[in-house]
Amino acid sequence: MNTTTPVLDDLPFPERFDTEAALEDYLATPSRDLLRDMARIDGDLMVLGVGGKMGPTLARLAKNAMSGRRVIAVARFSEAGVREALEAHGIETLACDLLDAEAIAQLPRTPNVVFMAGRKFGADADNPLTWAMNAHVPALVAQHFSGSRIVAFSTACVYPFVPVIGQGAHESEAPNPPGEYANSCVGRERMFEYFSQRHGTPGRLFRLSYAIDLRYGVLADVAGKVWRGEPVDVTMGHVNVIWQGDANAQALRCLAAATVPTSPLNVSGPETTSIRWLAEEFGRRFGKPVQIAGSEAPTAWLMNTGEAERLFGYPRVPLSQLVGWVADWIAREQRQYGKPTKFESRDGKY
């Protein structure tokens, strides 16, 4: 156990996060369950595609939970400051274009891999690139790291819409999504499945639905619209959401819960959360009127997360705490990533 890092279980929920640094420090704090599971696996970790919204805090969380072992972060590092910030926390970095097969072939083979690379926003503007990133790159990675444990980030978008009055899509539900983006995500999963079957590679397909940070996510999208007096579209009326820290912890714990061949795992909050309720709750907290557009469809992208809860327990941070944190952050007009989730989309176009 890394004795220089606080343990999440010993900390009360902060009332608010005054700075981004405080937020990121909290997201990088491991729980005892994470420390225990990381101690069960041997070897170093590589995070591929670390430069997205979740990657830097996942790499920091891993480093704090893997005392004495290497965490290697890989990306193109096109955004200024990301590489330097990771290195400041003891994380090694390698610049690599994952579309370049020769560059992937030069990457060291670590025993543990978390694959986070992918293309979503703007996907329909260049569908060939979307398929290359979401299906071709996974095939290259799965072959090069065939001797590793691989946790591959996926999405709830591989499922068809399911009734909002049900229990959500189970892992046994056959993928049948709308839109090219979502189908390219099925392609990503199939590549990891194929090479896992062929080489006996242990892994998990991490089907994540809507991680929540204060700088992006469904809650920030809804809260921002209410704060600015914009209408909130409730046609896609229900979602599952999970705190980014909980999602990252579960992704890392999947390394100790890998299967041969790799298998899907639904990860999100257990609640079916109403977009209308979220808008009204933010309106109440802000003291602002709420404008609602549309009416709720009878179906949505919803998941049954029972298996993840069996493996890892319920997410640590409850929905009510997330709403409070986001409301405070938005009301103080703190920084947003400017990357809306587009949760309203029902045609699979991003």
Side-chain angles (χ1 to χ4, degrees), residues 101-112:
E102 293 183 0
I104 289 178
Q106 299 302 311
L107 293 174
R109 290 182 171 92
T110 53
N112 303 290

Side-chain angles (χ1 to χ4, degrees), residues 96-107 136-137 140:
C96 179
D97 180 354
L98 295 177
L99 284 167
D100 184 341
E102 293 183 0
I104 289 178
Q106 299 302 311
L107 293 174
H136 175 61
V137 168
L140 297 175

Side-chain angles (χ1 to χ4, degrees), residues 102-133:
E102 293 183 0
I104 289 178
Q106 299 302 311
L107 293 174
R109 290 182 171 92
T110 53
N112 303 290
V113 173
V114 174
F115 179 85
M116 306 184 79
R119 173 174 161 84
K120 177 179 180 180
F121 299 111
D124 283 322
D126 189 344
N127 281 318
L129 176 59
T130 297
W131 280 89
M133 280 300 304

Side-chain angles (χ1 to χ4, degrees), residues 10-234:
D10 298 335
L11 302 177
F13 290 134
E15 291 186 11
R16 60 191 275 182
F17 295 97
D18 289 324
T19 64
E20 286 189 80
L23 170 61
E24 292 185 354
D25 287 346
Y26 189 76
L27 286 166
T29 303
S31 67
R32 288 193 177 88
D33 286 338
L34 176 59
L35 290 165
R36 183 193 65 243
D37 279 356
M38 298 309 284
R40 291 171 53 201
I41 62 170
D42 297 325
D44 300 330
L45 170 70
M46 181 174 291
V47 184
L48 294 169
V50 78
K53 298 186 296 292
M54 298 178 66
T57 54
L58 181 140
R60 282 190 59 191
L61 180 64
K63 185 64 178 177
N64 287 334
M66 299 176 67
S67 179
R69 286 182 280 174
R70 299 166 70 201
V71 174
I72 304 169
V74 177
R76 288 177 300 166
F77 295 110
S78 55
E79 183 177 338
V82 173
R83 188 172 193 174
E84 294 77 8
L86 289 167
E87 291 174 349
H89 292 286
I91 297 160
E92 300 175 40
T93 63
L94 291 172
C96 179
D97 180 354
L98 295 177
L99 284 167
D100 184 341
E102 293 183 0
I104 289 178
Q106 299 302 311
L107 293 174
R109 290 182 171 92
T110 53
N112 303 290
V113 173
V114 174
F115 179 85
M116 306 184 79
R119 173 174 161 84
K120 177 179 180 180
F121 299 111
D124 283 322
D126 189 344
N127 281 318
L129 176 59
T130 297
W131 280 89
M133 280 300 304
N134 292 349
H136 175 61
V137 168
L140 297 175
V141 167
Q143 290 175 86
H144 182 68
F145 291 98
S146 61
S148 304
R149 300 179 195 89
I150 303 176
V151 173
F153 270 62
S154 186
T155 171
C157 295
V158 300
Y159 291 118
F161 295 147
V162 297
V164 299
I165 60 172
Q167 296 299 310
H170 187 267
E171 286 90 349
S172 59
E173 179 95 23
N176 184 26
E180 284 215 42
Y181 160 71
N183 278 282
S184 75
C185 295
V186 177
R188 172 171 53 210
E189 290 196 1
R190 294 304 190 214
M191 291 301 98
F192 281 113
E193 287 177 311
Y194 172 74
F195 288 104
S196 178
Q197 291 169 0
R198 182 176 177 182
H199 298 295
T201 304
R204 282 285 188 171
L205 304 171
F206 192 77
R207 290 178 176 168
L208 176 64
S209 181
Y210 292 126
I212 298 298
D213 187 334
L214 308 187
R215 297 163 292 190
Y216 78 96
V218 173
L219 269 61
D221 289 350
V222 174
K225 287 179 181 295
V226 173
W227 182 256
R228 295 187 298 270
E230 299 170 2
V232 177
D233 187 339
V234 300

Side-chain angles (χ1 to χ4, degrees), residues 216-255:
Y216 78 96
V218 173
L219 269 61
D221 289 350
V222 174
K225 287 179 181 295
V226 173
W227 182 256
R228 295 187 298 270
E230 299 170 2
V232 177
D233 187 339
V234 300
T235 309
M236 183 73 90
H238 300 81
V239 292
N240 304 116
V241 299
I242 185 171
W243 175 237
Q244 180 176 301
D246 286 326
N248 280 343
Q250 289 193 23
L252 292 170
R253 293 180 69 187
C254 276
L255 292 164

